[in-house]
Amino acid sequence: MTQTSDSARAYSRANGEKFLSELFEMLRIPSLSGDPAHAGDVRKMAEWLAAHMQTLGLDKVAVMETAGHPVVYGEWMGAGPDKPTVLVYGHYDVVPASLEDGWESDPFEPVVRDGKIYARGATDDKGQLFIHVKALEAWLKSNGAAPANVKFLIEGEEEVSSPNLTPFIEQHLDLLKADVCVISDTSMPSIDAPSITHSLRGMTYIEIEVEGPKEDLHSGLWGGAAHNPALALVEMLGKLYNPDNTIAVPGFYDDVVPLTEAEREMIAKTDLSEEQYKAVTGVPALWGDKRFTIRERLSARPTLDINGLWSGWSGPGPKTIIPQKAGAKLSSRLVANQDPHKIFELLKSYLESIAPPTVKLDVRLLTTGRAALIPFDIPEMQAAARAYERGWGHAPVFTRGGGSIPVVADIASLLKIPVVMMGYGLDSDGLHSPNEHFSIEMFERGIETAIVYLEELAQTK
């Protein structure tokens, strides 16, 4: 390690209590992007971040308006044009939380128990995005400069599917120009098993509605001659999969990029046994396409799931009716090269083809997101691997994520740069759940890893 990174890391260690105190200030702001009653708190959070960036000496710091909640931008370009520029993406908004949900303490008054910070947003994503702010501060305060240029793009709508982020990026391509984007909004299985996510699945989310009679019918007077919409719906849903547990929609797999042997070997390093999967999920038995391992099914293969069903009477006691309508919400997690809009058209066409003529069918698209697949052998990824070895203390594994962060594909395609997902949380941190938490040790290790990454990245250009 060079002396410059040594001094930056020493600064971060010496200022650990200050960093935690500042993080606590962030966590106390209930920046709930999905609740209009908290719009003022969302803006307060954005203004807090901008003010904090200004105190560190960043330039062009601004709370930038969108059609929804604002974006916070700031930059430090003092490394010069011959050094790489990293764009740090994060989000300052959070999902709702209250004591009634099962929290052991006020979710917006952070507390420390057993070395962990308990608060909404602790790991998703305030704690993780703040790691990069503190890493840059450590460089600037200890050395007066950083080895690479840094730009921050912090949004306030990630938890409501980022409806205004893509237009913002499209309108500010020059401002956001960079060589690589780093996102810390993922996790690892344990503190000694860091992982770099190089792939995320996309999403096509639809809603279907089956309608029969003009109103609910008395099942005694009219039953037997009217096709029950709930029955018609489940008959259709039962045809979504083939007997071998593959998706029956024609053309669904056409654009899926096959796994290479090298990718399968990498995925195998984080595979789960059937016993582990059953223990974690509580399911009585494993299910799925037997041609693929459990981890491959969870991350590198597309899915089609029923997320919700509704119809008829579900209150106490009997109510003998033939319901007028029945509905379901379906989501499909997509992998590289699958177009979410093409998948919607395939789903819609297939559902219409299997809908009986005794009912009317409506298929609606709710949300989409593109999958992202970044090669793990590129210099920016390998720099991240070295940073974990030096800053975290363990060599990372490159892994595919099963979830979706649509902005990853948007940034990669619009800015034409690779995206490196350097997660600093744990799979067990409880993001979106009661008692969300973030390990102080991982917060501190994350800062040191982010410090080293800037140095490693500088050597790639």
Side-chain angles (χ1 to χ4, degrees):
M1 292 184 295
T2 66
Q3 182 60 39
T4 48
S5 64
D6 277 348
S7 57
R9 293 173 71 176
Y11 176 91
S12 71
R13 293 171 185 171
N15 288 273
E17 289 300 319
K18 179 178 83 76
F19 290 177
L20 281 177
S21 177
E22 292 164 344
L23 175 58
F24 285 7
E25 288 184 43
M26 294 176 65
L27 296 173
R28 291 188 180 103
I29 303 173
S31 47
L32 280 63
S33 54
D35 186 347
H38 284 275
D41 291 314
V42 176
R43 180 164 292 276
K44 180 181 178 181
M45 183 69 257
E47 292 172 347
W48 187 97
L49 266 176
H52 189 72
M53 288 181 182
Q54 287 178 323
T55 66
L56 303 182
L58 274 66
D59 300 315
K60 295 185 180 179
V61 176
V63 176
M64 304 181 71
E65 301 302 328
T66 73
H69 298 304
V71 164
V72 179
Y73 179 83
E75 66 179 37
W76 184 84
M77 300 294 290
D82 60 330
K83 291 296 183 181
T85 297
V86 55
L87 176 68
V88 175
Y89 163 86
H91 67 92
Y92 63 81
D93 64 319
V94 298
V95 296
S98 66
L99 286 170
E100 291 74 20
D101 297 334
W103 284 77
E104 294 180 15
S105 55
D106 185 341
F108 295 103
E109 183 50 54
V111 297
V112 176
R113 296 194 296 270
D114 299 323
K116 302 179 183 69
I117 307 162
Y118 284 81
R120 174 59 83 223
T123 189
D124 182 24
D125 180 44
K126 292 180 180 180
Q128 294 204 60
L129 79 84
F130 205 50
I131 280 172
H132 294 281
V133 177
K134 297 294 98 179
L136 180 57
E137 175 185 335
W139 275 108
L140 299 182
K141 297 298 184 183
S142 63
N143 294 281
N149 303 301
V150 181
K151 296 180 177 181
F152 288 97
L153 170 65
I154 314 297
E155 71 155 320
E157 296 186 324
E158 195 273 346
E159 300 295 5
V160 290
S161 301
S162 305
N164 297 295
L165 186 62
T166 297
F168 180 89
I169 295 173
E170 291 172 338
Q171 295 162 15
H172 298 90
L173 294 177
D174 288 341
L175 179 69
L176 301 174
K177 185 179 179 181
D179 296 290
V180 61
C181 176
V182 172
I183 299 177
S184 295
D185 197 13
T186 51
S187 57
M188 62 188 77
S190 65
I191 193 169
D192 58 354
S195 58
I196 300 172
T197 304
H198 74 102
S199 173
L200 289 169
R201 292 192 287 193
M203 171 76 75
T204 295
Y205 200 116
I206 69 172
E207 183 175 271
I208 64 177
E209 190 171 74
V210 175
E211 184 175 356
K214 63 181 180 180
E215 58 192 6
D216 290 352
L217 299 179
H218 188 295
S219 64
L221 291 176
W222 305 107
H227 196 174
N228 189 308
L231 176 60
L233 175 63
V234 297
E235 288 171 344
M236 294 169 60
L237 297 179
K239 296 177 181 178
L240 292 177
Y241 275 83
N242 296 310
D244 63 356
N245 299 331
T246 58
I247 296 166
V249 178
F252 185 87
Y253 294 106
D254 285 358
D255 298 326
V256 173
V257 177
L259 285 168
T260 66
E261 284 305 313
E263 288 173 326
R264 299 194 81 166
E265 289 176 9
M266 185 66 70
I267 293 172
K269 294 179 180 180
T270 60
D271 201 13
L272 295 166
S273 68
E274 182 171 353
E275 291 71 25
Q276 288 173 317
Y277 185 81
K278 288 162 65 175
V280 171
T281 63
V283 299
L286 197 62
W287 178 89
D289 188 341
K290 294 182 180 179
R291 297 173 299 167
F292 298 92
T293 67
I294 295 175
R295 184 64 73 184
E296 287 171 349
R297 295 178 217 177
L298 298 179
S299 62
R301 297 293 294 168
T303 67
L304 181 56
D305 286 303
I306 302 169
N307 303 122
L309 290 166
W310 65 93
S311 185
W313 174 249
S314 60
K319 186 179 182 182
T320 51
I321 61 167
I322 297 171
Q324 179 197 12
K325 296 179 180 180
K329 292 183 185 290
L330 308 180
S331 68
S332 182
R333 299 280 180 174
L334 309 178
V335 295
N337 280 20
Q338 286 187 296
D339 185 315
H341 292 280
K342 179 180 178 180
I343 293 298
F344 167 67
E345 294 299 334
L346 291 174
L347 290 172
K348 184 173 184 290
S349 177
Y350 180 64
L351 289 165
E352 289 172 345
S353 74
I354 61 175
T358 49
V359 295
K360 292 177 284 187
L361 174 69
D362 185 23
V363 182
R364 300 183 287 268
L365 178 64
L366 297 186
T367 62
T368 62
R370 297 190 69 87
L373 178 61
I374 317 295
F376 54 76
D377 58 354
I378 61 175
E380 296 84 358
M381 287 283 189
Q382 293 303 312
R386 295 191 299 272
Y388 273 103
E389 288 190 64
R390 292 176 51 196
W392 194 270
H394 294 277
V397 171
F398 288 98
T399 184
R400 288 180 176 233
S404 305
I405 306 178
V407 69
V408 174
D410 291 340
I411 289 175
S413 61
L414 291 172
L415 296 175
K416 303 186 185 331
I417 57 175
V419 179
V420 181
M421 287 170 275
M422 301 177 70
Y424 298 121
L426 285 173
D427 296 345
S428 58
D429 279 347
L431 61 163
H432 290 207
S433 300
N435 303 305
E436 176 184 348
H437 54 274
F438 190 30
S439 162
I440 293 176
E441 181 181 358
M442 297 183 75
F443 177 64
E444 294 171 344
R445 284 199 197 190
I447 295 170
E448 295 201 36
T449 304
I451 287 170
V452 175
Y453 182 66
L454 293 180
E455 185 172 68
E456 291 289 346
L457 185 66
Q459 298 171 15
T460 66
K461 188 173 182 178

